[in-house]
Amino acid sequence: FRIKAVEPIRMTTAEERESIVREARFNLFFVQSDDVLIDLLTDSGTGAMSSNQWAGIMRGDESYAGSPSFFRFESKMKELTGFSHILPTHQGRASERILFELLGGEGKVVPNNAHFDTTRANIEHSGAKAIDLPIVQALDPKSKHPFKGNMDTDKLEVLLEKEKGNVPVVMCTITSNSSGGQPVSLENLRAVRGICDRYNTPLFLDACRFAENAYFIKQREEGQSDKTVKDIVRDTFELADGATISAKKDGLVNIGGVLLIRDEALFRRASELLILTEGYMTYGGLAGRDLEAMAQGFEEVTHEDYLQYRLRTAQYVGQKLLAAGIQIIEPPGGHAIYIDAAAFCPHIPRQHFPGQALVLGLYRLAGIRACEIGSVMFGGEGREVPKLELVRLAFPRRVYTQSHMDYVIEAVIELYSRRTRLRGLRIVGQQGSLRHFTAQFEEL
């Protein structure tokens, strides 16, 4: 692609960043984005849209019901996924909330290869329990298994047998964000589908990064290299009974979500809840211009030259960090690089949040904002201690150049040379199950 619009970014001083960190109570979610030089907090809704998407925004029709913008969006989703029942939402967590308000509840259990934060929180908010069933290789940062996002099918079968009648749905996240942006193979999805069929349990995908997952399948799975990404995407969705999608990832937009459902009765119930909480079925809490941008984004994300560039960005950063002796989740994922914070900061015990210490160190040193994926995000009362302490460098789509990535690499390597200076933290204030958004810390 070519860049036709630019935005200035500001380099702060070390003194300014120290003051900013302290005012934010050591939580970078509270830092204003103008005070961030390179923002790798998330790839959700932070990408740059194409000229065709901006052109679509000008075409957006804002009719309350029956907008042609909706029907263009619906047509693209039908073509891409094969689903006929399609609901727009304002973002992925809205799709999750609707789904688990209908299927969750006290005593229910929802397994997944690895739930990410809002999925887990929406399940728990309904009263149900979220269970992770990753393969063992997903818990080893050094393992080079090509599909570390796979679900452990043996454990799934044991769980479904044990919890007969209590599992309303099986989820599978593609790619697996909690496991380092790692892909799930079609072979694994077919095995999960077979188990779900035997136990008469629906399979839903958390399909935020379905196109990245499809490109990994094309590159790595036997018998898939000659297929197009669109064909693999269609094969993937045909295995599912439904899906939640944040269009802020592989929809290449800044706002938007999708809920796909095969079952007619469940679709009707979801439609009623959508109207109650989001908006009418042909806009779902979005403007018509947003639907136009989504329709175009869901087309562009399957272009293989884009996906090659996208995955190569993570590979480039990951290879440079590994060469410097910095352990990451191997092999590099699709949308981010995940640094093994426990290996980076062996002097900081897990209860003092080595990932958060690394995040703060990177901002203080270089003005780069990253995200802790470990005991801050997934820990807390009543939860199992997460197996990994990670820091995610998530790459916004079509935003930064190789020069930006080289700066990030140099900064991480420099911080690694100073890692013994990083200090642990303790939480002095937190709210709810998504505590990483609002937690307040103090340094030890």
Side-chain angles (χ1 to χ4, degrees), residues 303-344:
H303 295 178
E304 295 185 16
D305 52 353
Y306 158 75
L307 287 165
Q308 183 180 29
Y309 142 80
R310 174 72 175 157
L311 270 58
R312 180 61 189 137
T313 300
Q315 291 167 0
Y316 176 77
V317 176
Q319 288 165 358
K320 294 288 187 181
L321 295 184
L322 285 168
I326 297 169
Q327 187 60 53
I328 64 169
I329 296 293
E330 299 182 66
H335 69 288
I337 286 299
Y338 293 67
I339 299 171
D340 183 346
F344 199 101

Side-chain angles (χ1 to χ4, degrees), residues 100-101 103-133 156 159-160 162-163 165-171 201 378 380-385 387 433:
F100 294 116
E101 184 168 333
L103 297 183
E106 293 289 340
K108 302 290 181 63
V109 176
V110 180
N112 198 328
N113 52 344
H115 293 282
F116 202 58
D117 57 352
T118 62
T119 319
R120 181 182 301 277
N122 274 296
I123 291 168
E124 293 175 346
H125 184 71
S126 80
K129 184 177 182 180
I131 300 289
D132 293 340
L133 301 175
L156 175 63
L159 179 72
L160 290 175
K162 177 184 176 183
E163 298 286 351
N166 295 328
V167 182
V169 63
V170 172
M171 298 291 296
T201 303
F378 292 122
E381 187 177 352
R383 287 182 168 182
E384 293 183 10
V385 176
K387 301 294 192 298
S433 57

